[in-house]
């Protein structure tokens, strides 16, 4: 479950410590020489106005999990959902789903993970070389609805430079908590001016072991939660298995002024859904990518980049009897170009256009087939422009994006057979085409009031169109145990985010802090009505609604590096809370956290430890049961690297949840949070080699 990263052995000692313990983007850029591929421009990410976290190298190796959410769950301002071991998505500053966009090599991942937490993100972590978290103006390059931010997963499948010799890596590991076995292989090479890449990975894990009992209840951990007809398990928790495999191939022609490349990927993922009803999801995806870049294409411009992707995604949800319950399909095509101009009057920036077309269809199968989400075509056309300028001690950035989004369902679709409509108390919907014009923008400034010290302010307005599922869904969703009802009259959602920042980026002691408020007009959420549909196992009725809402938060960290001793330390904390302006709390809000990290490297040895205390979350939405309990999370790791001939071999051991605490994320829906805690104490051992 570790990525293949062929440059790990080349990192200098002190830079490994600094980059793993300091998440200030300006420091990471200047000292680790990182290439930020999502923006295509280092300058676009060096400002605290667009806080950026970049995971790569040993830091990524030490933190990597089987899912994207698990990998970045403990970053500043980032938490995760926890739908068992197979599905976990990032939650950024209290926002998730369609408000946090997931990219792969700068283009949408093309899955349906933004629709529901039980849907896994369509990428494989073992082949990941870098993960980038972007907010603010830089995020407007890729989507108008990313009010939480975006996460770009980079796998370098399309090489941009010719390797001077064959390079690659191999990795294998075993984990005790779930009998997990993982292996990965990657090779890069060149034939003349053509660079070739091949990677493959496999990860098989059984049901994981939990601490104590499975079911949370108001009186403790020993009786079923209200309304749940489920066995209270100890030991191995059913339906927490996960089996993944993928194969990727890429080839690129590299010339003096740029490159052109293509890649193909096949991904398979079969994982359990640990709800009281039980079940599983079998997911597959084919992806085809094209990338082209020309440096200095003509006078006044430094780069032209074109990229496109085709993704054919589908998954089948199975009930606890192993029978197919529903099928979800999404066919997505995306193309974009970016043109970066040379500095002009102190400004440097990028503008371009993006076209996206997708077709979503979700169908109930078994006894009578009907549409859960009717076949819907979504077309999005966008223009974007970002700029950043520097004038002595002042720095500013601007971002602008216009989107036209059209949602076109099949108007003749029969949504639900008559016996499923339970009467006047269950709303019905009428399908209709919808078009949304979205305008998003961002502006900010940073004042470097003394060497290595800065203070800034940023204001971002982000608009998003309702998704096809939010507009048109009408049917039972097996894996969430809900009967979802859309609202075709939803309006566009608008976010107004104001943020104040302060940072120190020089000296042995460094740090940053942010204070923000995010005000939403027409915030879209799923409201649990308290009713159920008896014909589908008493699934809860959830209706899409809108309301004014506000999320306020604070986050900060301090890092210290003892250079002469090879030791680095970090303390950090974050807290956010979302409320409806009319009263009450937003659902699925993360709990406040405090944490500390320490790492030491010497003579090939690398050791690290992380402790996080998550407070109890009792500020829940009116329909949520709780509270979500507090927990102490202690992780540690140790590794040793030795070069034997031309191969750098590393043997490692990672220890997770050493205190064997019951961990239940407040960001996870009740169907899972009340029933399925995260894995208990675990030891992972592995061996990786790079050449």
């Amino acid at each position: 479950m570790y990525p293949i990263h062929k440059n790990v052995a080349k990192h200098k000692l002190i830079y490994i410590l600094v980059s793993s313990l300091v998440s200030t983007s300006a420091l990471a850029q200047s000292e680790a020489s990182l290439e930020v591929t999502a923006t295509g421009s280092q300058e676009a990410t060096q400002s605290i106005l667009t806080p950026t976290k970049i995971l790569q190298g040993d830091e990524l190796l030490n933190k990597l999990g089987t899912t994207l959410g698990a990998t970045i769950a403990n970053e500043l301002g980032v938490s995760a959902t926890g739908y068992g071991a197979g599905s976990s998505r990032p939650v950024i500053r209290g926002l998730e789903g369609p408000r946090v966009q997931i990219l792969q090599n700068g283009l949408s991942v093309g899955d349906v993970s933004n629709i529901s937490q039980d849907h896994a993100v369509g990428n494989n972590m073992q082949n990941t070389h870098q993960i980038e978290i972007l907010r603010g103006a830089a995020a407007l390059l890729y989507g108008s609805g990313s009010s939480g931010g975006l996460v770009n997963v980079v796998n370098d499948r399309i090489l941009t430079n010719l390797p001077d010799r064959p390079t690659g890596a191999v990795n294998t590991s075993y984990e005790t908590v779930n009998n997990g076995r993982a292996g990965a292989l990657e090779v890069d090479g060149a034939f003349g001016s053509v660079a070739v890449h091949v990677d493959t990975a496999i990860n098989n894990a059984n049901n994981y072991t939990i601490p104590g009992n499975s079911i949370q209840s108001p009186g403790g951990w020993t009786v079923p939660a209200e309304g749940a007809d489920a066995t209270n398990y100890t030991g191995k928790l059913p339906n927490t298995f996960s089996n993944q495999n993928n194969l990727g191939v890429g080839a690129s022609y590299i010339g003096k002024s740029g490159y052109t490349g293509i890649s193909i990927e096949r991904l398979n993922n079969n994982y359990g859904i640990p709800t009281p009803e039980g079940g599983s999801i079998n997911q597959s995806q084919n992806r085809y990518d094209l990338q082209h870049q020309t440096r200095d294409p003509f006078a006044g411009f430094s780069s032209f980049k074109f990229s496109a992707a085709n993704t054919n995604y589908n998954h089948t949800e199975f009930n606890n009897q192993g029978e197919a319950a529903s099928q979800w399909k999404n066919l997505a095509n995306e193309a974009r170009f970016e043109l970066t101009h040379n500095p002009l009057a102190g400004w440097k920036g990028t503008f371009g256009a993006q076209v996206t077309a997708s077709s979503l269809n979700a169908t109930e199968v078994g006894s009578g087939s009907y549409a859960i989400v009717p076949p819907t075509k979504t077309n999005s056309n966008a223009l974007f422009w970002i700029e950043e300028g520097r004038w002595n001690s002042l720095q500013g950035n601007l971002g602008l994006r216009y989107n036209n989004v059209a949602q076109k369902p099949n108007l003749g679709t029969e949504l639900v057979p008559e016996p499923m409509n339970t009467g006047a108390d269950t709303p019905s919907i009428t399908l209709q085409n919808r078009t949304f014009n979205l305008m998003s923008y961002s502006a900010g400034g940073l004042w470097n009031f003394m060497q290595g010290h800065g203070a800034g302010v940023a204001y971002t307005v982000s608009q998003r169109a309702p998704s096809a599922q939010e507009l048109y869904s009408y049917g039972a969703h097996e894996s969430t145990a809900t009967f979802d009802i859309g609202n075709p009259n939803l309006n566009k959602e608008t976010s107004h985010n104001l943020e104040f920042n302060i940072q120190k980026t020089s000296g042995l002691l460094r740090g940053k802090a942010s204070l923000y408020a995010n005000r939403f007009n027409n915030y879209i959420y799923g409201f649990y009505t308290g009713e159920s549909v008896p014909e589908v196992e008493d699934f809860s009725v959830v209706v899409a609604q809108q309301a004014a809402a506000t999320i306020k938060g604070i986050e900060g960290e301090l890092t210290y590096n003892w250079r002469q001793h090879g030791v680095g330390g970090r303390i950090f904390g974050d807290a956010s809370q979302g409320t409806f302006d009319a009263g009450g709390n937003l659902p699925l809000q993360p709990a406040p956290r405090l944490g500390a990290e320490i790492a030491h490297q010497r003579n090939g040895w690398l050791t690290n430890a992380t402790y996080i205390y998550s407070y109890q979350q009792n500020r829940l939405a009116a329909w949520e049961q709780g509270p979500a309990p507090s927990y102490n999370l202690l992780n540690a790791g140790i590794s040793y690297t030795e070069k034997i001939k031309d191969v750098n071999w590393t043997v490692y051991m990672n220890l997770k949840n050493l205190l064997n605490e019951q961990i239940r994320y407040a960001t996870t829906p009740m169907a899972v949070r009340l029933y399925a805690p995260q894995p208990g104490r675990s030891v992972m051992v592995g061996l990786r080699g790079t050449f």
Side-chain angles (χ1 to χ4, degrees):
M1 55 181 293
Y2 282 86
I4 303 301
H5 196 287
K6 49 187 174 293
N7 295 321
V8 169
K10 299 180 181 179
H11 293 168
K12 294 181 180 179
L13 163 63
I14 199 64
Y15 293 162
I16 291 176
L17 290 171
V18 170
S19 65
S20 68
L21 294 173
V22 181
S23 59
T24 304
S25 61
L27 175 64
Q29 290 292 341
S30 62
E31 294 199 312
S33 300
L34 301 176
E35 178 186 1
V36 180
T37 58
T39 62
S41 166
Q42 286 188 1
E43 289 81 357
T45 63
Q46 289 179 332
S47 169
I48 196 171
L49 308 179
T50 55
T52 303
K53 173 63 183 180
I54 302 171
L55 284 175
Q56 57 97 58
D58 273 21
E59 181 182 16
L60 179 58
L61 293 172
N62 291 331
K63 295 181 176 180
L64 200 78
T66 56
T67 63
L68 178 60
T71 300
I72 64 175
N74 296 326
E75 299 305 319
L76 195 64
V78 182
S79 48
T81 62
Y83 234 91
S87 179
S88 178
R89 208 175 190 274
V91 179
I92 301 180
R93 293 182 170 180
L95 298 170
E96 53 104 20
R99 301 177 186 94
V100 176
Q101 189 173 358
I102 308 297
L103 309 178
Q104 180 169 302
N105 301 320
L107 293 172
S108 174
V109 72
D111 58 21
V112 295
S113 65
N114 63 338
I115 290 178
S116 180
Q117 291 191 12
D118 61 301
H119 301 165
V121 178
N123 55 37
N124 189 297
M125 287 288 96
Q126 293 189 78
N127 306 114
T128 299
H129 290 180
Q130 186 166 295
I131 298 175
E132 305 158 356
I133 304 171
L134 300 171
R135 306 185 186 106
L140 295 183
L141 278 170
Y142 298 95
S144 60
S146 301
S147 52
L150 66 86
V151 180
N152 185 40
V153 179
V154 181
N155 55 34
D156 293 330
R157 195 163 279 145
I158 296 177
L159 299 177
T160 59
N161 294 289
L162 285 171
D164 55 6
R165 61 180 179 83
T167 61
V170 62
N171 178 76
T172 184
S173 66
Y174 173 79
E175 188 169 10
T176 60
V177 74
N178 54 10
N179 194 29
R181 295 86 63 202
L185 174 68
E186 177 179 318
V187 178
D188 292 340
F191 300 91
S193 297
V194 178
V196 177
H197 168 99
V198 178
D199 67 74
T200 186
I202 187 169
N203 192 325
N204 294 325
N206 298 337
N207 294 329
Y208 61 66
T209 302
I210 60 172
N213 301 285
S214 61
I215 296 177
Q216 177 187 359
S217 74
W221 308 98
T222 57
V223 298
E226 182 180 351
D229 181 15
T231 302
N232 193 16
Y233 290 95
T234 59
K236 296 288 185 179
L237 183 63
N239 300 304
T240 55
F241 64 88
S242 176
N243 299 301
Q244 305 176 24
N245 64 78
N246 82 303
L247 173 65
V249 178
S252 52
Y253 173 80
I254 300 173
K256 295 181 179 180
S257 61
Y259 69 92
T260 302
I262 59 173
S263 69
I264 302 173
E265 178 189 31
R266 171 68 178 184
L267 171 68
N268 297 297
N269 191 7
N270 180 29
Y271 58 95
I273 300 296
T275 59
E277 294 78 14
S280 64
I281 289 181
N282 194 341
Q283 175 192 68
S284 65
Q285 179 172 290
N286 295 327
R287 182 182 173 99
Y288 306 88
D289 280 86
L290 168 67
Q291 292 182 11
H292 169 80
Q293 184 177 27
T294 300
R295 293 183 292 271
D296 301 317
F298 37 84
F301 294 89
S302 60
S303 173
F304 169 81
K305 184 175 182 180
F306 174 82
S307 53
N310 167 269
T311 304
N312 190 339
Y313 170 96
N314 69 82
H315 80 243
T316 301
E317 301 185 8
F318 296 88
N319 60 25
N320 55 13
Q321 303 298 318
E323 301 168 340
S326 63
Q327 292 182 334
W328 295 69
K329 299 180 180 181
N330 191 53
L331 179 63
N333 295 286
E334 182 176 357
R336 59 182 286 121
F337 80 85
E338 304 170 23
L339 197 57
T340 302
H341 68 79
N342 293 327
L344 181 64
W347 292 91
K348 184 176 181 180
T350 299
F351 63 90
Q354 181 175 344
V355 177
T356 304
S358 63
S359 297
L360 173 68
N361 184 20
T363 305
E364 183 79 8
V365 297
S367 57
S369 179
Y370 62 90
I372 302 171
V373 180
T376 303
K377 294 183 178 180
T378 302
N379 296 310
S380 173
N381 302 304
L383 300 173
F384 54 84
W385 175 36
I386 67 166
E387 294 283 339
E388 184 163 68
R390 299 171 185 268
W391 311 273
N392 298 321
S393 62
L394 295 178
Q395 184 175 346
N397 66 25
L398 299 170
L400 180 67
R401 184 181 181 93
Y402 168 76
N403 259 59
N404 175 267
V405 178
Q407 301 279 17
K408 298 180 179 180
N410 184 340
L411 300 180
T413 304
E414 181 179 354
L415 292 181
V416 125
E418 187 64 29
M420 298 287 277
N421 192 336
T422 58
D425 291 336
T426 303
S428 60
I429 65 174
T430 301
L431 298 179
Q432 55 182 297
N433 295 332
R434 296 296 306 276
T435 301
F436 302 90
N437 292 304
L438 312 174
M439 183 66 72
S440 301
Y441 53 90
S442 178
L446 175 68
W447 175 37
N448 296 295
F449 54 87
M450 60 184 295
Q451 181 66 34
H453 297 73
V457 60
Y459 178 65
T460 302
V461 175
S462 178
Q463 293 188 325
R464 80 171 182 94
S467 67
Q469 189 266 349
E470 290 169 329
L471 289 168
Y472 308 123
S473 63
Y474 199 87
H477 191 178
E478 188 74 24
S479 295
T480 59
T482 57
F483 190 94
D484 298 335
I485 301 176
N487 182 352
N489 298 311
L490 292 175
N491 296 313
K492 61 186 177 184
E493 178 183 282
T494 303
S495 155
H496 300 261
N497 186 77
L498 179 63
E499 179 174 354
F500 297 94
N501 307 276
I502 189 168
Q503 67 174 352
K504 183 179 184 294
T505 59
S506 63
L508 298 182
L509 179 66
R510 311 186 184 198
K512 66 177 182 179
S514 299
L515 180 69
Y516 60 89
N518 203 347
R519 174 70 184 273
F520 286 86
N521 297 329
N522 297 318
Y523 183 90
I524 302 172
Y525 65 100
F527 174 71
Y528 281 70
T529 65
E531 301 174 355
S532 62
V533 181
E535 286 82 358
V536 280
E537 304 180 58
D538 291 318
F539 283 7
S540 298
V541 175
V542 179
V543 180
Q545 294 188 358
Q546 289 186 298
T550 302
I551 297 178
K552 299 177 181 179
I554 186 171
E555 58 192 36
E557 66 179 7
L558 287 173
T559 64
Y560 192 85
N561 182 38
W562 294 268
R563 295 177 187 269
Q564 66 273 25
H565 301 295
V567 179
R570 170 180 176 243
I571 58 173
F572 59 95
D574 54 37
S576 67
Q577 183 59 44
T579 58
F580 293 108
D581 291 3
N585 299 307
L586 293 183
L588 306 178
Q589 292 297 290
R593 303 179 301 181
L594 294 174
E597 294 181 3
I598 190 168
H600 175 257
Q601 181 162 356
R602 187 170 184 176
N603 298 328
W605 290 94
L606 173 62
T607 57
N608 62 84
T610 301
Y611 169 77
I612 292 176
Y613 177 72
S614 178
Y615 288 84
Q616 176 178 280
Q617 178 59 287
N618 52 19
R619 301 184 66 181
L620 305 174
W623 57 89
E624 291 183 295
Q625 298 179 33
S630 62
Y631 62 82
N632 298 275
L633 176 62
L634 179 61
N635 296 333
I638 184 171
S639 66
Y640 178 74
T641 300
E642 181 78 23
K643 187 172 184 178
I644 302 176
K645 294 185 178 180
D646 294 328
V647 181
N648 288 290
W649 291 102
T650 299
V651 58
Y652 57 87
M653 179 172 64
N654 284 341
L655 302 97
K656 305 177 183 179
N657 194 9
L658 276 170
L659 303 178
N660 205 33
E661 289 265 301
Q662 279 223 353
I663 298 175
R664 300 175 187 265
Y665 297 139
T667 51
T668 301
M670 292 183 296
V672 170
R673 174 171 59 82
L674 297 175
Y675 174 75
Q678 297 299 297
R681 183 184 297 116
S682 179
V683 178
M684 171 185 286
V685 293
L687 176 69
R688 60 178 175 263
T690 60
F691 59 89

